[in-house]
Amino acid sequence: MLNGCKFGKGTPYSVGSVQIQSYNVQAGDDQNIMADELNMKQDTFQPTPIIFEIGVQDFKVLPHMQALASNVQFHRENYEGLLNVLSGAWRGDAARKNYGQITPLRYCTRNGREMVWYGRPRKFQATKASDKSSFYGVNAEFQRADTLVYEWEEEFQIIEQQADPIFIERDRGDCDSWLRILGYGPLSNPVITIGDQQIILDHEVDENEVFEISSYPWQRRAVDSNGLNLAAKLIGDTQYLDRLKLPAYTRTPVRWTA
């Protein structure tokens, strides 16, 4: 599903193929001077598009079919505009002109788990095979924002202030997980420890106010419920929120003070 438009099994939009392109590697390699060696620096991944081949139904009534089918009613208007609905969803107008905003593309696995890619719709090309065809052929691309796929449901843990840490161990997923922290006021200069990572917020959170520190790539921010940007009030390495993760397959101690 993209921008409210469902496609795939059980819809008027049949999916012929899904090509998940391999990511590109931006290698940070330098040739050592006068040596047969490379100086290997930091490598990064560049996400690439997912390409969908989709057939959009174009219902046609055969001559005299109404008389032959007796009381069965045929309504062509129910099928008209299906191509426009899909192309409108793929335009992504809600996110296209907004800096940094991305769109979720949701899908179901065979075992029923609902997953999501984050990115933006890109190219959309529709062709019609022939007058006898019952489908418009569509090639559509979705540009991923990163190289990972996520579960649609968000898991959470309520952690009270106490001397002993609470241990969190994720039982789903294979990669280190991004996370977000919600703190409810009143709080003064909260310090949150997650494993070997420490988040220090130099800020006073009043009663009935909430702050959020999120490392989600599609929503990486530090704000409060009044819309105040708190990024400048983060102290230490965690001001770089792309480093804030919850390790996979690890019992991680979590605690906070204020």
Side-chain angles (χ1 to χ4, degrees):
M1 182 170 69
L2 179 70
N3 289 325
C5 181
K6 293 183 180 180
F7 54 97
K9 186 177 181 180
T11 73
Y13 309 103
S14 60
V15 177
S17 68
V18 180
Q19 302 175 34
I20 304 175
Q21 306 284 313
S22 173
Y23 54 78
N24 296 325
V25 178
Q26 303 294 328
D29 301 338
D30 290 332
Q31 179 74 36
N32 285 344
I33 299 176
M34 301 180 66
D36 301 328
E37 301 167 353
L38 285 176
N39 181 20
M40 295 187 176
K41 299 179 181 179
Q42 181 174 334
D43 299 340
T44 57
F45 295 147
Q46 180 184 16
T48 52
I50 302 169
I51 302 175
F52 294 90
E53 291 185 3
I54 304 173
V56 182
Q57 290 188 19
D58 179 30
F59 180 70
K60 291 180 174 61
V61 180
L62 297 176
H64 312 297
M65 180 57 70
Q66 188 71 43
L68 295 173
S70 183
N71 61 345
V72 177
Q73 299 296 314
F74 292 90
H75 299 282
R76 180 184 174 88
E77 60 270 17
N78 293 340
Y79 290 82
E80 292 180 342
L82 290 176
L83 180 62
N84 291 338
V85 171
L86 183 63
S87 64
W90 226 271
R91 280 179 60 90
D93 288 339
R96 184 164 54 92
K97 295 185 178 181
N98 293 324
Y99 180 84
Q101 185 172 343
I102 57 179
T103 302
L105 173 60
R106 298 162 61 181
Y107 73 96
C108 283
T109 63
R110 291 183 178 180
N111 60 6
R113 290 179 65 186
E114 193 170 1
M115 310 295 289
V116 59
W117 285 295
Y118 287 97
R120 281 192 184 183
R122 289 293 190 233
K123 296 180 182 178
F124 184 92
Q125 181 181 10
T127 59
K128 194 173 181 181
S130 69
D131 291 338
K132 296 181 180 180
S133 173
S134 295
F135 288 91
Y136 291 97
V138 171
N139 288 319
E141 294 185 6
F142 182 84
Q143 175 61 56
R144 293 176 291 172
D146 64 5
T147 59
L148 302 178
V149 61
Y150 302 90
E151 194 162 26
W152 179 248
E153 292 184 352
E154 183 182 42
E155 297 181 359
F156 70 94
Q157 174 74 48
I158 298 175
I159 301 176
E160 302 288 348
Q161 185 175 17
Q162 58 187 45
D164 297 328
I166 292 178
F167 287 86
I168 296 177
E169 183 173 6
R170 294 170 44 230
D171 57 358
R172 305 172 80 166
D174 303 311
C175 297
D176 293 348
S177 173
W178 308 110
L179 57 93
R180 66 189 184 113
I181 301 164
L182 298 177
Y184 297 85
L187 292 169
S188 176
N189 303 325
V191 178
I192 303 103
T193 304
I194 302 174
D196 59 355
Q197 306 165 100
Q198 191 173 71
I199 302 97
I200 304 173
L201 181 62
D202 184 17
H203 184 64
E204 301 281 341
V205 184
D206 294 333
E207 189 173 1
N208 298 322
E209 290 186 356
V210 183
F211 75 85
E212 178 193 64
I213 300 173
S214 173
S215 66
Y216 294 178
W218 54 93
Q219 200 178 53
R220 192 162 284 153
R221 63 187 185 181
V223 296
D224 68 8
S225 51
N226 297 318
L228 180 64
N229 188 351
L230 304 178
K233 299 189 177 184
L234 292 174
I235 300 174
D237 289 341
T238 51
Q239 61 182 301
Y240 305 104
L241 293 176
D242 58 346
R243 301 178 184 178
L244 184 58
K245 297 181 180 181
L246 194 64
Y249 308 118
T250 304
R251 293 186 75 243
T252 305
V254 179
R255 64 186 296 269
W256 65 272
T257 60

